[in-house]
Amino acid sequence: MKAIGVLTSGGDAPGMNAAIRSVVRSCVYYDIKVYGIYYGYQGLINGNIEELTIGSVGDIIQRGGTVLYSSRSEEFKTPEGQQKAIDQMRAFGIDGLVVIGGDGSFRGATKLSEQGFPCIGVPGTIDNDIPGTDFTIGFDTALNTVIEAVDKIRDTATSHERIYAIEVMGRDAGDLALWAGLAAGAESILVPERDTSIDAVLEKVKRGHERGKRHSIIMVAEGVGSAVDYANYIQEHLELSTRVTVLGHTQRGGSPTANDRVLASRLAAYAVDLLKDGQAGRMVGIENNQLVHDDIMNVLNKKHEIDQDLYALSNRLSI
Ligand code: ADP
């Protein structure tokens, strides 16, 4: 392995910079050239590529977003686009690629692997929706952002005796809603992986109110539906004051937590190790605090599941 490229693709996540830094510093450590590819796959096609040195990644470990920027590329989904990407890498002498991103980005990486170009995927997404790893880079930071917001909302919910429906990110995955709901003491948690009837939520709010609770927090993953609809339904049926907060993109930003920085540093360094050892088409992950790797296709063919025990616990604690 003479030169490695690194790119970030798809949705950004806090900790991606720590991962980029780790790729670059690991390459320097092994005396392998390293190239930063800007704007994801589209930048790869366009040759937006620059050699990085040890100093290029100074002062970024604490920053959110990605210094390599990200993009979504339709052109890369075509065989012609993929060939251009490979030609660009060959022109720069790049013989291995680290892709930091989510499942869409990994689908892209498999296309390069199919053409015989070695790629390793590093899971970076706040959704924590990638099988083959217990945690993805960015999840812990997003989680902390959500609970900080919920703690603040709870103050005003209590003061005004209100029901708050809080919508968090997660179109297909309920991890953020589940973990944040558990950590912030939400009364109800709605995730796309489980059916929860609105009437069950209503019943819980009613019981709590009769018991003298001054507020209720309902955590809604966006994939379940709009928090506005849930709030309206409750207001209509219980005549309790309800409010909605949609946390939106605040969840994607901010300085990464220590956990995300360490996770990103470990996973990305491991990706370089694998490329150096001649591995290709793998995704790195962490399971029971051990670094692991699996075939990317295998990972993509699995279905993400929420943690069953945590879900049961959240129900037990919010009776
Ligand atoms: P994420 O990695 O966050 O899931 P996306 O789903 O937007 O993000 O994917 C990022 C990029 O990966 C896409 O814009 C596209 O260029 C590439 N990509 C996604 N799916 C495929 C695919 N099936 N074939 C080739 N490239 C893909």
Side-chain angles (χ1 to χ4, degrees):
M1 189 68 35
K2 291 200 171 57
I4 287 177
V6 55
L7 61 80
T8 49
S9 167
D12 66 320
M16 281 184 162
N17 284 328
I20 295 165
R21 173 180 178 272
S22 175
V23 169
V24 172
R25 297 266 163 105
S26 295
C27 286
V28 172
Y29 176 81
Y30 289 129
D31 211 10
I32 297 170
K33 272 191 168 192
V34 58
Y35 288 90
I37 297 154
Y38 291 83
Y39 302 103
Y41 290 122
Q42 193 56 49
L44 181 53
I45 291 171
N46 297 342
N48 216 322
I49 301 171
E50 194 178 275
E51 189 175 348
L52 300 177
T53 60
I54 194 157
S56 315
V57 289
D59 201 28
I60 65 167
I61 196 167
Q62 78 285 11
R63 282 160 61 187
T66 157
V67 293
L68 291 178
Y69 311 122
S70 189
S71 72
R72 294 201 157 91
S73 169
E74 282 308 308
E75 190 181 356
F76 186 74
K77 291 186 177 170
T78 66
E80 297 75 29
Q82 291 153 19
Q83 192 52 53
K84 277 192 205 167
I86 291 177
D87 292 346
Q88 286 287 9
M89 287 195 281
R90 297 249 153 87
F92 278 84
I94 298 171
D95 39 19
L97 179 68
V98 176
V99 173
I100 306 166
D103 60 340
S105 303
F106 294 161
R107 268 174 231 290
T110 60
K111 301 292 174 193
L112 298 176
S113 297
E114 281 165 15
Q115 308 284 327
F117 197 93
C119 291
I120 303 286
V122 174
T125 160
I126 66 161
D127 292 337
N128 208 41
D129 61 347
I130 314 269
T133 187
D134 291 343
F135 296 105
T136 58
I137 298 166
F139 174 64
D140 187 62
T141 307
L143 189 54
N144 279 285
T145 301
V146 173
I147 64 168
E148 196 186 324
V150 176
D151 288 349
K152 288 177 177 162
I153 289 165
R154 187 194 275 279
D155 288 345
T156 196
T158 306
S159 305
H160 290 273
E161 206 168 349
R162 272 182 193 150
I163 316 298
Y164 265 87
I166 300 173
E167 189 177 308
V168 299
M169 281 188 171
R171 271 195 295 273
D172 306 306
D175 284 52
L176 201 50
L178 174 58
W179 282 68
L182 195 53
E187 275 67 28
S188 293
I189 302 172
L190 303 167
V191 296
E193 293 90 342
R194 296 284 181 278
D195 285 330
T196 310
S197 82
I198 178 72
D199 289 317
V201 175
L202 194 74
E203 196 46 45
K204 215 178 225 181
V205 170
K206 195 167 154 218
R207 266 205 323 266
H209 182 69
E210 285 164 4
R211 229 172 51 221
K213 278 183 88 132
R214 292 193 54 83
H215 65 260
S216 268
I217 305 283
I218 302 162
M219 194 67 77
V220 185
E222 63 180 332
V224 172
S226 165
V228 174
D229 295 338
Y230 284 95
N232 286 344
Y233 190 86
I234 289 166
Q235 180 134 352
E236 274 164 30
H237 287 78
L238 290 182
E239 289 174 10
L240 289 172
S241 175
T242 63
R243 292 288 187 279
V244 176
T245 300
V246 179
L247 293 178
H249 280 87
T250 56
Q251 295 163 90
R252 287 253 287 264
S255 177
T257 58
N259 268 333
D260 272 332
R261 296 180 201 193
V262 172
L263 177 66
S265 300
R266 290 177 75 187
L267 291 178
Y270 194 43
V272 172
D273 285 349
L274 293 183
L275 277 177
K276 192 174 147 285
D277 292 345
Q279 297 271 1
R282 317 290 294 176
M283 187 197 85
V284 294
I286 191 147
E287 283 177 354
N288 300 319
N289 204 26
Q290 299 294 312
L291 291 167
V292 294
H293 59 96
D294 194 359
D295 189 293
I296 293 189
M297 283 309 284
N298 216 4
V299 170
L300 291 173
N301 286 333
K302 281 187 200 153
K303 201 173 158 346
H304 168 74
E305 245 304 330
I306 51 165
D307 186 320
Q308 184 53 45
D309 292 340
L310 274 193
Y311 188 73
L313 180 63
S314 74
N315 279 327
R316 184 204 290 196
L317 301 186
S318 63
I319 42 172

